[in-house]
Amino acid sequence: SAGTRLVPVPAYEPTEAERLSAEMGELLAYLSSTDWYGIRLAETGEEPPLEVSNKRQVARNRISEIRELLKEVASGLADDVR
């Protein structure tokens, strides 16, 4: 109708927990996509490229950090509810 006015809706901003979970998902997907190097090492003794080994270690370290951060976020949320 003539009197209807559209109000802009602000863009959705993910929460910190959502951002961390998404990052962890990407890191886990990378680890999954490179797991075959471990099988090749076990079967043939051929080492994975150093870049892959290093990147996997960085991913594992970051996943551990994210898990701790998510615990802190969850703890903060629980405190907010109390």
Side-chain angles (χ1 to χ4, degrees):
S1 74
T4 303
R5 193 174 131 227
L6 297 178
V7 178
V9 177
Y12 175 74
E13 288 292 325
T15 65
E16 180 166 2
E18 289 170 330
R19 285 191 301 272
L20 289 169
S21 294
E23 181 184 353
M24 187 163 64
E26 291 170 11
L27 293 167
L28 289 168
Y30 173 74
L31 289 177
S32 181
S33 74
T34 56
D35 277 347
W36 66 271
Y37 282 108
I39 296 167
R40 182 179 75 178
L41 175 63
E43 290 180 353
T44 69
E46 185 177 345
E47 294 283 337
L50 187 57
E51 178 183 342
V52 171
S53 294
N54 290 342
K55 192 172 177 183
R56 285 178 59 84
Q57 186 60 53
V58 168
R60 286 191 297 272
N61 291 346
R62 181 62 181 150
I63 288 167
S64 294
E65 291 172 4
I66 290 171
R67 286 186 173 139
E68 289 304 311
L69 290 169
L70 286 172
K71 285 180 191 176
E72 291 173 20
V73 169
S75 175
L77 292 174
D79 289 344
D80 290 345
V81 172
R82 291 181 194 148

